[in-house]
Amino acid sequence: MLRFRQSCSRPETLFKRFASSSFENPEIFRSTALVNGKWVSGDDQFPVINPSTSEEVSTVTNCGVAEYNEAIGDAHKAFKMFKNTSPRERSQILYNMYDLMSEHKNDLARLITMENGKTFADSLAEIDYSASYFKWFAEEAPRIYGHVIPSSSSLRKQIITLRQPLGVVGIMAPWNFPSAMIARKLAPVIATGNACVIKPPHESPMSALALGWLAEQAGLSDGVCNVLPTTHTAAIGEYICCHDLVRKITFTGSTKVGKLLMKQCANGNIIKRLSMELGGNAPFIVFDDADIEKAVNGLISCKFRQSGQTCICANRIFVHESIYSDFASRLVAVIESGFHLGDGFSPKVTHGPLINERAVQKVSELVEDAKNKGANVLTGGVRASSLGPQFYHPTVLSGVDETMSIFHTEVFGPVASLISFKTTEEVIERANKTNVGLAGYFYSSNIQTVLDVANELEVGMVGVNGSAISDAAMPFGGIKNSGLGREGSSWGVEDYTDLKSIVLGA
Ligand code: SIN
């Protein structure tokens, strides 16, 4: 068990090692856990590694079950006070978070590039995206409405519904958006008057700790937001799921882990609310009447955003046979002339590394399997080992079909798999032939095709003639094995509240 001691300052040695990164405000660089308003460290530490350089960015406090138990208890106490704050007060804290994120944007983006590897430009964009959730929920906090429903049995009765906070929310977040995926969960926690315990990903805990620090500066009471880095992922996941004081779990990650957490939640003594944003296998369909240039550009940003490491990345690219070779050659031309792979801090770099060796290995195996079964490599198809062990060349494969593993697997890497199709009915059937349904995209200039395909695709979110779908205003989430619930938007409030009905009158 860790013995916690409060640390008032960052370990000087660690700070010096990264002074070259020139943080405008060194306080953003946190390496200890945040529990009930105290920054606490212990003897157990783990390293955070920059995926571009394999350098150690920092060592971070490694929390265990005892610390989580303490934090959950503290969050529960904090919740009892925080639920009584006025909506306007909570809104102001969220506006403060938004302002602080804008003020410290460069430092926050620097942290993301250091621990995740994405380009600095992408990290800046992530901070804007992350901050937009705080602004959105600042606007939602005072507008969490109920209803007045006339009773069906008597004119003298009225039914009133209220939305009430849940209690302690367990937040489990992924490494691919170290800031935004936590913001999408933390912002509604604060807006609705809940409290939370955040288990950040061990690959990128520092952005989460920075958010905890910003929440403090924004005026959030002690204990409402606790951030506990850990490498004991499986044990802590199970612990949070079974803990009786945790009322809700929100998780973004793989379907496999999501299912496991659901089972573990069922083992606890109380039924928990669940929001699960799980894996995808997004179809991206280009019809013969599409604007091809627009579709190529849409695919570039959707497929290769963060080197293909997003849950809503295009995974299977269906192109009508009549425009297939034109589309493929334009795509390859843009990649070969416009992409620069390398360290995310280098200004000319457009695409960074994958998160770890396991991710590169998975991509290599999927490409090899596709090649062995008849796919052609139009560009890439190999590791970029001269840049470092975690780089893989942006790749386009043609002739992909259902016999290949890459058709059925979420790649989570920079590989565009091109598949030819003939008819609308055929492509809809093939696009839906998967047990996940997060996002889907298609390009067509025919209004009837637009209406029909948007209706038929079995996904939670559809991009039509555009691929930049992410927005704090959009209900984010999937169907089938891609999860439960919606985050962001006004529906994001529903997932963080209970609906209470009050029946008035005889
Ligand atoms: C994800 O990859 O899970 C999130 C992507 C986004 O919000 O844009």
Side-chain angles (χ1 to χ4, degrees), residues 87-104 130-143 186-187 190-191 214-215 217-220:
R88 191 47 77 193
E89 221 173 302
R90 286 183 254 127
S91 171
Q92 189 57 54
I93 293 167
L94 290 161
Y95 275 123
N96 295 348
M97 286 288 285
Y98 172 77
D99 289 342
L100 285 162
M101 289 199 82
S102 309
E103 188 187 327
H104 297 293
S130 190
S132 75
Y133 281 102
F134 291 105
K135 192 174 193 182
W136 176 271
F137 281 101
E139 291 154 351
E140 287 296 307
R143 295 183 176 78
L186 175 60
I190 297 173
L214 290 179
Q217 310 308 305
L220 193 66

Side-chain angles (χ1 to χ4, degrees), residues 144-440:
I144 301 175
Y145 299 138
H147 290 93
V148 179
I149 308 166
S151 157
S152 64
S153 58
S154 162
L155 286 179
R156 300 186 62 215
K157 265 172 43 176
Q158 295 287 353
I159 301 156
I160 298 175
T161 63
L162 303 180
R163 290 220 157 262
Q164 296 190 315
L166 303 169
V168 179
V169 177
I171 293 180
M172 302 189 206
W175 50 263
N176 63 341
F177 288 86
S179 178
M181 291 306 97
I182 292 177
R184 190 152 75 198
K185 300 169 190 305
L186 175 60
V189 160
I190 297 173
T192 51
N194 289 298
C196 65
V197 171
I198 301 175
K199 188 192 83 55
H202 63 84
E203 295 88 348
S204 58
M206 299 185 71
S207 297
L209 292 168
L211 280 173
W213 182 77
L214 290 179
E216 268 189 334
Q217 310 308 305
L220 193 66
S221 328
D222 290 351
V224 175
C225 171
N226 304 279
V227 188
L228 288 84
T230 183
T231 56
H232 311 299
T233 309
I236 295 299
E238 180 166 16
Y239 187 74
I240 301 175
C241 286
C242 293
H243 202 293
D244 288 352
L245 292 181
V246 176
R247 281 290 322 279
K248 172 189 168 86
I249 299 291
T250 167
F251 169 73
T252 297
S254 71
T255 299
K256 187 172 158 215
V257 174
K259 283 183 171 176
L260 178 69
L261 296 176
M262 286 169 84
K263 274 195 200 136
Q264 291 172 346
C265 283
N267 292 338
N269 289 321
I270 63 159
I271 299 283
K272 290 187 170 48
R273 295 281 295 273
L274 297 174
S275 296
M276 298 262 158
E277 193 243 289
L278 307 177
N281 183 3
F284 185 106
I285 308 171
V286 190
F287 288 96
D288 53 356
D289 54 12
D291 176 334
I292 299 187
E293 194 174 334
K294 206 170 168 188
V296 168
N297 291 334
L299 180 65
I300 291 286
S301 53
C302 173
K303 172 67 250 182
F304 294 100
R305 177 181 176 214
Q306 213 201 296
S307 298
Q309 300 175 105
T310 88
C311 299
I312 57 172
C313 272
N315 210 51
R316 295 165 298 153
I317 299 114
F318 297 94
V319 185
H320 191 269
E321 59 176 4
S322 65
I323 53 166
Y324 189 84
S325 41
D326 185 15
F327 183 89
S329 47
R330 291 200 210 193
L331 178 64
V332 170
V334 176
I335 292 171
E336 291 185 347
S337 63
F339 280 28
H340 294 283
L341 206 54
D343 183 338
F345 280 115
S346 165
K348 68 173 198 316
V349 164
T350 56
H351 293 81
L354 299 189
I355 191 70
N356 53 34
E357 167 56 27
R358 205 154 28 94
V360 185
Q361 187 59 32
K362 177 183 167 191
V363 169
S364 303
E365 283 171 10
L366 288 170
V367 170
E368 286 313 306
D369 173 76
K371 275 161 61 180
N372 291 339
K373 291 175 179 160
N376 295 311
V377 177
L378 302 187
T379 188
V382 282
R383 289 173 182 253
S385 306
S386 61
L387 295 171
Q390 285 164 222
F391 287 91
Y392 196 90
H393 280 293
T395 298
V396 179
L397 298 178
S398 71
V400 170
D401 65 28
E402 282 84 341
T403 62
M404 303 166 189
S405 301
I406 205 159
F407 187 97
H408 307 281
T409 311
E410 184 177 29
V411 180
F412 239 67
V415 183
S417 303
L418 304 187
I419 304 153
S420 169
F421 75 92
K422 287 185 180 20
T423 68
T424 305
E425 296 68 33
E426 171 208 335
V427 77
I428 295 286
E429 196 198 321
R430 294 175 79 189
N432 288 339
K433 208 184 278 178
T434 169
N435 59 11
V436 289
L438 191 57

